Amino acid sequence: MFIYILSRIGQAVPVILTVTFIAFAMFAYVGDPVTIMLGQDYTEEQRQALIEALGLDQPFFVQYARFVANAVRGEFGLSYRLGRPVLSLIAERLPATLELSLVAAALALLVGVPMGVFTGLYRESWLSRAFLVFSLVGVSLPTFLIGILLILVFAVILGWLPSFGRGEVVVFGWWSTGLLTASGLKALILPSITLGLFQMTLIMRLVRAEMLEVLRTDYIKFARARGLSNRAVHFGHALKNTLVPVITITGLQLGAIVAFAIVTETVFQWPGMGLLFIQSVGYADIPVMSAYLMLIALMFVSINLIVDLLYYAVDPRLRVDRGRLGRTGV
Amino acid sequence: MPLLEVQELRVEFPTRRGVLTALDGVSFAIEAGEVLGVVGESGAGKSLTGAAVIGLLEPPGRVAGGQILLDGRRIDGLPYEQMRRIRGREIGAIFQDPLTTLNPLYTVGQQLAETMLTHLPVNPAEARRRAIRWLEDVGIPGAAQRIDAYPHEFSGGMRQRVVIALALCAEPRLVIADEPTTALDVSIQAQIITLLKGLCREHGTAIMLITHDMGVIAETADRVAVMYAGRIAEIGPVRDVIKHARHPYTVGLMGSIPSLSARVERLAQIDGAMPRLAAIPPGCAFHPRCGHAFARCKSERPELMDAGGSSRAACWLHAADSASAMVAGAPREARPGDARPGDARPGAARQGVADDAR
């Protein structure tokens, strides 16, 4: 188990290094930071001094090593646009994005899985058919369009929910949350539906397909032949066997939710990292962009690791150590 | 009153091209503690009969006629929840492939305990104690440790032992064993059958043993039902059916089994194939392949009738009226060496390698 985790982490390191390299290359090749920082009037001495101070006269790999070392310590430099440390900028925005993403993911799971189970069990019912049609809408409509439509209906026409922002937040240390105030919760509804809808329909379709597959298996027939209750057969035996692919997809999608919250955050002017990123792109604010890139990569890698560990928890066949592998054949 | 009584059971599959009748007029009974073998070729309706009894016909299959009685109480067409309480508790089931019958995600102990907790008034601790005892009873070495092992940690034969424990742990009075040894190595088939029979005798459990292995039937069953094209061709005490088969199909079936004692150059083969469900011939379903068929066989369907000894066969050769006069009682003297009652010698066309009745 421990070795398994270590090997997974070992595999993650090259991925992260590659991403840091790309992030670093952005500094080197997208614009000239010295020119940007010095502004209009400067002397050649000032320029040289700054180059030395920033270490830009050092060989490429020394610079890269320093960049990585700084990144490990959480030093991503100053934002060109706001003149503040990138880390604190991101820390400010992170809670908003994580909260939105987690609520969206929870929504996708809590609605998508039961819908998938239902449509898998009662294939012929009209409700299943309705769910499938609905899921087609969720899969095919682009996120920004769904967001705009929701705003139109619930914010503009009905006036029930706010169309932008996070509402009131409560601050604990560096973490701010909108989950504890009524306006914060209300503000969360539309963006999280927008963000989670695609994932919800994806999970529903996946669970449905897997359920149909599993319900045909002998062990489900045998579970019925043992007279287990429907609940035990459907949820204990069938659903649990669908979980491995569902966990994979959900895990990857959680990463995607965080990364692609950009669109939703833009539509709803949600003060999260995505919005920060979009604004930074407009200003060519490279430190913020590269830090965001690395953060997202780190998140994907960690989620993948968690997914792998969850497999381990769900499927005992993966827990077989190599010595006994021979017996699992067929 | 027999433990299980099946009367004129008819199972249909509605399809786009019309209704297929998969079982037609199947009647038999199983006494408490008895072992009834059910044999026949693939597609004869053996497994379907088992599935109908335990109420697990795959839709769109449905019981379209007749009735199934357990202790005289009708159990076909019971609401799902009531039938569920019967499954496992009154009627257990053992399936063919032990590798796919157990849920891979639960330990064998969890699966045993779950079954007992569903049906018996036990608490989890007691269920676990009993689960260990069941694993011991089915011959799993080190049961107390192995109870927490997952199915993939057992070999095929051991898994079938676990399946037997699962089928019997709620102490049903009838267990339907559908080809319980077909998927196993030949070397352990006998062990599994002996184990199953021993445990069932100990607990007074009746067995409906579905197989195409006449050897297993001969060793295990008290009575045997031979099925053909969704009907019972012959039913009787196992010795009678094997030694003095009354139905031409059974005779052919027995003739196609290799024997160590009898020296035969080639095994007998029944010419032709079992009809498809959509094209079951009128009259006796076997008549196109039968060397004894006469006019009545083509038009009138034979019901099971007394055929000498304690056997009953669905064959007009045994009819008490005019038809039997035609063959002058010849079938009653049928011996296993004869390929066909009344035939001097099996026709050349009927000889060949045994194909289905392995």
Side-chain angles (χ1 to χ4, degrees):
Chain A
M1 180 73 186
F2 182 66
I3 294 180
Y4 178 77
I5 296 176
L6 270 188
S7 85
R8 298 303 307 185
I9 292 175
Q11 286 169 26
V13 168
V15 176
I16 292 290
L17 278 180
T18 310
V19 173
T20 56
F21 189 79
I22 295 170
F24 173 69
M26 281 174 37
F27 280 100
Y29 300 108
V30 184
D32 177 4
V34 178
T35 321
I36 296 171
M37 288 171 88
L38 285 171
Q40 300 290 317
D41 304 314
Y42 58 89
T43 62
E44 190 54 29
E45 287 79 50
Q46 284 176 313
R47 193 179 133 78
Q48 281 305 325
L50 187 59
I51 285 178
E52 264 171 53
L54 290 173
L56 293 179
D57 53 343
Q58 304 284 322
F60 180 82
F61 282 104
V62 175
Q63 288 187 45
Y64 175 57
R66 232 182 17 213
F67 174 79
V68 172
N70 282 337
V72 168
R73 276 178 288 150
E75 298 255 350
F76 296 98
L78 295 178
S79 158
Y80 297 161
R81 180 169 65 99
L82 301 167
R84 294 175 48 202
V86 171
L87 189 68
S88 70
L89 275 178
I90 286 187
E92 255 168 40
R93 304 294 193 102
L94 188 67
T97 295
L98 280 188
E99 229 168 69
L100 175 62
S101 303
L102 290 177
V103 170
L107 194 72
L109 271 179
L110 294 181
V111 179
V113 171
M115 272 166 82
V117 172
F118 182 86
T119 51
L121 288 177
Y122 307 103
R123 262 188 302 174
E124 306 298 323
S125 86
W126 63 269
L127 195 57
S128 294
R129 289 169 205 270
F131 282 163
L132 283 179
V133 170
F134 161 77
S135 80
L136 212 60
V137 174
V139 170
S140 51
L141 281 188
T143 309
F144 71 88
L145 193 63
I146 292 171
I148 289 169
L149 285 176
L150 286 177
I151 290 177
L152 181 68
V153 174
F154 293 101
V156 179
I157 298 178
L158 295 173
W160 291 349
L161 298 165
S163 64
F164 70 92
R166 250 190 119 183
E168 291 167 43
V169 295
V170 181
V171 178
F172 300 102
W174 62 278
W175 189 269
S176 63
T177 177
L179 293 176
L180 297 177
T181 64
S183 76
L185 285 174
K186 270 169 85 175
L188 200 54
I189 295 174
L190 291 184
S192 57
I193 290 177
T194 307
L195 189 55
L197 193 64
F198 178 79
Q199 272 69 28
M200 183 199 297
T201 53
L202 196 73
I203 289 171
M204 177 196 126
R205 286 181 161 257
L206 182 73
V207 170
R208 173 178 181 272
E210 290 292 326
M211 282 294 281
L212 291 179
E213 189 81 7
V214 170
L215 286 173
R216 275 199 295 269
T217 60
D218 282 350
Y219 56 80
I220 293 302
K221 247 185 273 172
F222 190 53
R224 288 194 199 285
R226 285 190 278 145
L228 303 183
S229 67
N230 263 339
R231 198 189 151 84
V233 172
H234 295 160
F235 294 94
H237 288 262
L239 183 61
K240 199 173 173 193
N241 271 284
T242 68
L243 284 185
V244 165
V246 172
I247 287 172
T248 314
I249 298 295
T250 311
L252 293 178
Q253 290 298 323
L254 183 61
I257 284 179
V258 176
F260 302 123
I262 292 175
V263 175
T264 307
E265 288 185 6
T266 310
V267 171
F268 288 95
Q269 288 296 300
W270 188 263
M273 290 190 306
L275 198 58
L276 176 71
F277 178 75
I278 285 289
Q279 287 161 351
S280 304
V281 169
Y283 283 89
D285 195 346
I286 292 165
V288 176
M289 282 155 69
S290 71
Y292 179 77
L293 189 64
M294 284 187 281
L295 190 71
I296 294 293
L298 189 67
M299 214 172 272
F300 261 98
V301 167
S302 341
I303 288 170
N304 264 327
L305 184 65
I306 293 169
V307 164
D308 283 343
L309 294 180
L310 280 179
Y311 286 173
Y312 229 71
V314 169
D315 194 335
R317 284 166 296 187
L318 299 177
R319 286 175 227 153
V320 184
D321 56 43
R322 298 198 186 280
R324 295 187 308 185
L325 215 61
R327 222 187 297 165
T328 63
V330 189
Chain B
M1 185 195 302
L3 174 63
L4 178 80
E5 194 169 4
V6 174
Q7 295 170 347
E8 294 297 317
L9 179 65
R10 182 184 175 88
V11 169
E12 290 179 350
F13 283 81
T15 67
R16 223 173 294 167
R17 276 164 299 166
V19 174
L20 295 180
T21 305
L23 292 182
D24 194 1
V26 170
S27 301
F28 63 91
I30 300 178
E31 300 293 334
E34 186 186 37
V35 181
L36 175 75
V38 180
V39 283
E41 295 170 59
S42 310
K46 311 181 295 278
S47 299
L48 214 55
T49 309
V53 168
I54 203 167
L56 286 177
L57 284 173
E58 299 268 341
R62 58 189 168 86
V63 174
Q67 46 186 350
I68 301 169
L69 306 165
L70 184 73
D71 282 334
R73 186 165 79 104
R74 199 162 168 188
I75 58 167
D76 60 296
L78 278 185
Y80 185 90
E81 185 57 23
Q82 285 181 36
M83 195 59 211
R84 179 185 75 70
R85 291 173 200 279
I86 290 175
R87 284 198 287 267
R89 181 71 185 93
E90 306 279 342
I91 308 176
I94 297 168
F95 291 164
Q96 178 171 347
D97 188 352
L99 299 183
T100 57
T101 310
L102 298 169
N103 191 325
L105 303 187
Y106 292 98
T107 65
V108 298
Q110 284 168 339
Q111 301 190 43
L112 278 163
E114 176 187 40
T115 312
M116 285 185 270
L117 290 169
T118 303
H119 293 296
L120 304 175
V122 291
N123 60 32
E126 171 65 14
R128 191 180 160 86
R129 262 196 303 282
R130 289 196 193 186
I132 294 175
R133 210 166 58 222
W134 271 108
L135 289 180
E136 283 165 359
D137 287 352
V138 296
I140 305 273
Q145 291 83 49
R146 300 290 270 156
I147 188 171
D148 292 318
Y150 287 93
H152 69 264
E153 297 172 283
F154 292 87
S155 67
M158 285 294 160
R159 281 193 227 185
Q160 195 65 311
R161 288 171 190 267
V162 174
V163 170
I164 290 174
L166 275 165
L168 296 179
C169 69
E171 292 167 22
R173 287 176 300 154
L174 170 67
V175 62
I176 297 174
D178 190 351
E179 309 262 6
T181 57
T182 309
L184 300 175
D185 279 356
V186 177
S187 55
I188 48 177
Q189 288 184 354
Q191 288 176 19
I192 295 293
I193 284 290
T194 311
L195 171 72
L196 177 63
K197 190 165 183 190
L199 279 173
C200 286
R201 186 179 295 147
E202 207 175 293
H203 293 264
T205 312
I207 309 177
M208 178 173 165
L209 180 62
I210 298 165
T211 179
H212 52 242
D213 187 340
M214 278 307 298
V216 167
I217 296 279
E219 283 166 30
T220 318
D222 300 315
R223 288 191 309 131
V224 58
V226 180
M227 291 193 72
Y228 184 80
R231 304 167 183 184
I232 290 184
E234 179 165 355
I235 183 165
V238 75
R239 283 204 147 268
D240 280 12
V241 173
I242 289 177
K243 297 261 188 231
H244 308 285
R246 315 286 166 162
H247 193 287
Y249 175 66
T250 320
V251 175
L253 205 59
M254 299 303 157
S256 62
I257 299 165
S259 151
L260 287 177
S261 51
R263 290 176 146 271
V264 253
E265 296 279 303
R266 311 188 72 172
L267 293 167
Q269 159 182 305
I270 308 172
D271 226 16
M274 200 169 62
R276 284 176 297 116
L277 290 181
I280 292 180
C284 171
F286 188 61
H287 85 255
R289 302 170 74 185
C290 179
H292 299 271
F294 51 99
R296 192 175 187 180
C297 304
K298 290 171 188 149
S299 56
E300 230 180 306
R301 189 183 147 184
E303 298 298 326
L304 283 173
M305 53 192 94
D306 287 331
S310 315
S311 286
R312 290 163 67 76
C315 179
W316 289 123
L317 292 174
H318 302 283
D321 53 20
S322 60
S324 69
M326 287 175 57
V327 287
R332 284 162 204 255
E333 301 310 316
R335 263 185 302 251
D338 299 339
R340 191 67 88 237
D343 245 15
R345 197 151 311 294
R350 283 210 309 274
Q351 293 186 340
V353 185
D355 78 333
D356 202 87
R358 278 157 285 182

